[in-house]
């Protein structure tokens, strides 16, 4: 058995191969694959762990984290539709994560799904009221939806958190809010 116990990756690959529906083995294999720099393979193992044991907090959190990281990579690759799909899974699983909701909002806004983006930004701001980027995202989404007064309030909330709010955008909101 020494070759099987050589390292965690070997051990959990073997455990997955010789057992059936072993969520712990799949989850731990995911962790080892992450450590080995194989995030897509890790994500597949987390999905399998959650399929086998829905609601397992550890597996759900690992899935959420891996999905968030994949969503970030997809945004960097300029694939916002794919990013939005995987980021939805990130926010569906795991503990509430303002950054995941914020990133989902960015992906949705990029694809023109402004009402959905606003919902994601709202969730991010509820989870972390000091996350200025969430308030700024809200302001931009509200402005795009033709709600300048609400957008101004959100922009001012962003500024109160020291988020960088473009002065020209703020001036536009102030002018339109007065009308």
């Amino acid at each position: 058995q020494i070759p099987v116990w050589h390292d965690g990756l070997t051990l959990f690959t073997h455990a997955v191969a010789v057992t059936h529906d072993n969520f712990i083995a799949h989850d731990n294999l995911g962790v080892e694959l992450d450590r080995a720099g194989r995030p897509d393979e890790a994500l597949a193992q987390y999905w399998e762990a959650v399929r086998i044991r829905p609601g397992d907090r550890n597996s759900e959190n690992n899935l959420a984290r891996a999905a968030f990281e994949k969503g970030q990579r997809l945004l960097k690759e300029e694939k916002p539709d794919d990013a939005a799909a995987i980021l939805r899974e990130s926010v569906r699983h795991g503990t509430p994560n303002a950054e995941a909701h914020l990133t989902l909002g960015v992906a949705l806004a990029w694809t023109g799904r402004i009402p959905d983006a606003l919902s994601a930004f709202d969730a991010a701001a509820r989870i972390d009221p000091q996350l200025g980027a969430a308030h700024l995202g809200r302001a931009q989404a509200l402005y795009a939806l033709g709600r300048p007064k609400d957008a101004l309030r959100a922009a001012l909330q962003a500024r109160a958190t020291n988020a960088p709010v473009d002065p020209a955008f703020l001036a536009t909101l102030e002018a339109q809010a007065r009308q």
Side-chain angles (χ1 to χ4, degrees):
Q1 291 291 337
I2 296 298
V4 172
W5 292 89
H6 174 68
D7 60 27
L9 187 57
T10 306
L11 172 65
F12 292 114
T13 298
H14 179 74
V16 164
V18 299
T19 61
H20 177 71
D21 282 350
N22 183 337
F23 81 97
I24 294 172
H26 284 282
D27 189 62
N28 284 321
L29 179 54
V31 170
E32 293 300 327
L33 288 164
D34 261 338
R35 286 185 185 146
R38 296 160 57 185
D40 289 338
E41 293 172 76
L43 181 59
Q45 293 302 316
Y46 298 138
W47 274 115
E48 188 61 14
V50 169
R51 182 198 65 79
I52 295 165
R53 179 72 60 93
D56 177 70
R57 196 62 24 256
N58 192 55
S59 297
E60 296 269 353
N61 284 333
N62 284 337
L63 172 60
R65 181 194 41 74
F68 174 61
E69 290 170 1
K70 181 167 186 159
Q72 289 179 309
R73 287 192 308 275
L74 289 167
L75 275 179
K76 287 178 184 169
E77 295 169 9
E78 298 187 7
K79 297 177 181 176
D81 285 309
D82 295 337
I86 195 74
L87 288 163
R88 281 190 193 279
E89 294 304 319
S90 177
V91 300
R92 189 166 74 90
H93 297 279
T95 57
N97 180 330
E99 289 289 335
H101 283 277
L102 173 65
T103 307
L104 173 59
V106 169
L108 291 167
W110 193 347
T111 62
R113 292 178 274 180
I114 305 303
D116 292 335
L118 178 57
S119 294
F121 293 136
D122 284 343
R126 272 193 309 277
I127 295 166
D128 183 357
Q130 293 304 307
L131 184 59
H135 295 291
L136 187 55
R138 290 182 68 245
Q140 292 166 336
L142 288 161
Y143 180 71
L145 292 171
R147 297 169 51 191
K149 288 180 183 175
D150 294 329
L152 177 59
R153 279 193 291 277
L156 293 173
Q157 287 175 308
R159 191 171 68 180
T161 66
N162 295 319
V165 179
D166 180 4
F169 178 55
L170 198 53
T172 298
L173 293 177
E174 289 170 340
Q176 288 187 11
R178 283 193 297 266
Q179 294 177 355

